[in-house]
Amino acid sequence: MFGLAPPWLLSSRGTPLADALVLSHPEQVERLRLACPEAAPTAVLAGDPCFDRMLAARPHRERFRRALGVRPGQRLVLLNSTWNSESLFGDGDEVPGDGWCGGDVVAALLDRVADEFPVDEYRFAAVLHPNIWHGHGPGQIRAWLDRARRGGLALIDPLTGWRQALLAADAVIGDHGSVTFYAAALGTPVLLGAVPLHALDPDAPISAFMREAPRLDPGASLAAQIDEVIGSHRPLSGPAEFTTSVPGESAVRLRKLFYSMMGAPEPARPASLEPLPLPGYEAGTVTVPLRVLTRVLGPGEVAVSRWAGLRPAAGPDHGGELHVAVHEDTREVDRLELADVIFRDGEPDDPRFGSPSLWTAEVLRRHRGCSLAAYATGPSECVVRMRGEEPLRMVAVPDAGTEDVSGADPAAYASALHAWLASDSRESVTSRARLARAVAEGLVLRTGDRLHRVRVGPLTPPGPVG
């Protein structure tokens, strides 16, 4: 049992190294008694402060999701790996009978993510154990995950940001590490990508969890498995039960222990834990070239599905037309000459670009094959310019009865407008007439099963008459 064996707990004289050994559950106390009876008198049942901080931060889940750039209607899938060769990020061989996928599962998963998941419907993040960062070095980790990060993967700080990401997640793909167990304890759907049962104590709660939780099938559709594990999820009772037997009490119990060991009276004020901080905003901008599948569903209504993979696994219901949308900061600069839509994001008054109007004009002049340029000036609006037209502003319309204007990525608005203007029609309607209709009536953008209403209008509203 890791951490509870005599070599960890006893001095060379066979006496306990610690005056107090903090444990979170009576099951651990019993394990300590069996594994190292000499240290059993030092056990103190004081709960789990890490888990208590997460429980206290649950009301801020939506803030954590917004901080990670998760938009309404998007699902956040968190990849989590502990640090040894049999982890999700490891490179060991499959162990017969264990049901472990084996190999570098994270790399294989990320290759499939780009092909199987449209970027407007799913957001991915990765939490890697600090020992992975230390063992390989931050530069190597970022190099290995470079394309995935340019495809929208959020690489979470392993010390300060993983709890918030865990609270924000809709599903976790993990292994036998503690983060995966915490996810299950929080009631989050978990799919196991690495299950090295041979390396675990068969009587430990983590082993029971590994045997019961659903496992990743490497030969089946990853998207279908994620949808299934979320749709059919029923929380397992074991992880929540064995993470701590005294939820919410760790601050009180730990402070009492510390002051008693110092022989000092406790402060009169209540004991408390530091709240989880709100992480900095990470937009998740995708800079790899996007294949955009569109279908005009009706007057001013367009379905948009954007894919970062080279072979998007679009289903038959996507159909429609295909165009290419590329961020101006893409590493694949040659693809800019093939792009139908070129976009970027930034502050509207950034002096480096002059203005959104100037930038859109420069892009169309520089890239003759581009039909539409879009400058996202915020999370719910952009400035667009079609060749031969004046610039327009596209702004998300709040849902009825709310003030929430956060919708799809503004670059998706631009692709919807491009598709609407370029679409064939049984009626003899010119592109300019279609544009006039969009200005008069707006557009409806569909991503997955979510509708986004967008207002299209002049860049500068007309002044008062008279």
Side-chain angles (χ1 to χ4, degrees):
M1 187 67 178
F2 183 83
L4 296 185
W8 291 87
L9 302 177
L10 302 180
S11 69
S12 59
R13 300 187 303 275
T15 57
L17 291 170
D19 295 315
L21 185 62
V22 173
L23 302 175
S24 66
H25 194 280
E27 187 272 341
Q28 298 170 8
V29 177
E30 179 61 17
R31 284 186 171 277
L32 174 64
R33 187 185 66 79
L34 294 175
C36 186
E38 297 89 345
T42 68
V44 179
L45 190 62
D48 186 327
C50 177
F51 191 59
D52 284 355
R53 292 178 76 196
M54 287 191 279
L55 292 178
R58 269 181 157 172
H60 304 308
R61 180 174 188 265
E62 290 303 319
R63 294 181 186 177
F64 298 149
R65 288 173 66 82
R66 287 192 288 266
L68 284 170
V70 181
R71 295 178 177 274
Q74 270 189 319
R75 284 176 167 173
L76 174 63
V77 181
L78 188 68
L79 306 179
N80 164 65
S81 179
T82 191
W83 60 274
N84 60 35
S85 63
E86 296 174 339
S87 67
L88 195 71
F89 202 74
D91 58 0
D93 295 323
E94 183 172 354
V95 178
D98 265 11
W100 178 38
C101 297
D104 190 343
V105 185
V106 166
L109 287 177
L110 291 176
D111 285 343
R112 295 174 58 181
V113 162
D115 291 335
E116 293 194 38
F117 295 89
V119 299
D120 295 303
E121 297 171 46
Y122 292 87
R123 178 93 160 97
F124 280 79
V127 171
L128 305 180
H129 193 283
N131 284 357
I132 295 177
W133 290 88
H134 177 75
H136 298 291
Q140 181 63 76
I141 295 298
R142 292 191 175 94
W144 279 335
L145 300 181
D146 175 67
R147 194 185 192 283
R149 293 171 65 216
R150 292 187 286 117
L153 176 76
L155 199 50
I156 305 299
D157 186 290
L159 298 179
T160 62
W162 68 270
R163 299 171 188 84
Q164 297 91 324
L166 200 56
L167 287 166
D170 293 294
V172 172
I173 300 177
D175 53 23
H176 57 297
S178 59
V179 174
T180 307
F181 198 74
Y182 275 133
L186 290 168
T188 304
V190 169
L191 192 62
L192 298 178
V195 191
L197 290 173
H198 70 284
L200 304 174
D201 182 340
D203 297 324
I206 184 68
S207 292
F209 166 64
M210 292 276 117
R211 290 190 295 267
E212 295 175 19
R215 301 183 183 184
L216 176 70
D217 180 355
S221 164
L222 180 57
Q225 291 181 79
I226 291 294
D227 291 345
E228 170 66 19
V229 78
I230 293 175
S232 64
H233 177 59
R234 297 294 183 273
L236 299 174
S237 60
E241 176 185 351
F242 288 107
T243 296
T244 175
S245 61
V246 286
E249 296 184 23
S250 63
V252 172
R253 289 174 175 250
L254 287 171
R255 192 178 75 173
K256 181 178 180 180
L257 170 65
F258 298 154
Y259 276 86
S260 68
M261 294 179 69
M262 292 188 295
E266 286 190 69
R269 61 183 178 275
S272 61
L273 297 171
E274 186 75 18
L276 292 181
L278 184 63
Y281 178 66
E282 184 169 343
T285 302
V286 178
T287 61
V288 297
L290 292 170
R291 294 172 180 261
V292 186
L293 298 168
T294 62
R295 188 170 80 253
V296 175
L297 303 175
E301 183 173 348
V302 183
V304 175
S305 183
R306 301 188 302 161
W307 305 78
L310 300 177
R311 300 170 299 278
D317 59 322
H318 287 83
E321 301 296 323
L322 172 70
H323 70 262
V324 177
V326 184
H327 195 287
E328 189 187 34
D329 290 342
T330 185
R331 183 175 297 180
E332 294 88 341
V333 292
D334 57 313
R335 299 296 297 275
L336 289 169
E337 298 308 317
L338 304 175
D340 302 286
V341 174
I342 295 176
F343 63 95
R344 76 162 303 108
D345 50 284
E347 297 296 327
D349 56 353
D350 190 329
R352 295 173 298 175
F353 303 111
S355 68
S357 177
L358 179 60
W359 178 86
T360 54
E362 289 179 348
V363 166
L364 293 177
R365 186 166 57 250
R366 185 180 308 118
H367 303 286
R368 304 302 299 175
C370 177
S371 300
L372 185 150
Y375 187 112
T377 56
S380 60
E381 62 181 87
C382 64
V383 173
V384 299
R385 187 193 293 265
M386 287 66 65
R387 194 169 294 280
E389 302 289 346
E390 292 298 310
L392 296 170
R393 186 183 305 279
M394 302 184 73
V395 182
V397 177
D399 292 335
T402 75
E403 297 182 2
D404 185 7
V405 296
S406 58
D409 182 346
Y413 307 167
S415 280
L417 180 60
H418 170 77
W420 170 244
L421 298 179
S423 63
D424 294 327
S425 174
R426 295 178 183 177
E427 304 174 4
S428 179
V429 181
T430 65
S431 174
R432 183 158 290 181
R434 284 178 172 272
L435 179 59
R437 182 169 188 168
V439 171
E441 302 177 7
L443 284 178
V444 176
L445 165 67
R446 180 184 291 274
T447 58
D449 58 0
R450 188 174 178 86
L451 291 178
H452 314 270
R453 301 186 184 280
V454 182
R455 184 170 60 249
V456 184
L459 190 59
T460 304
V465 177

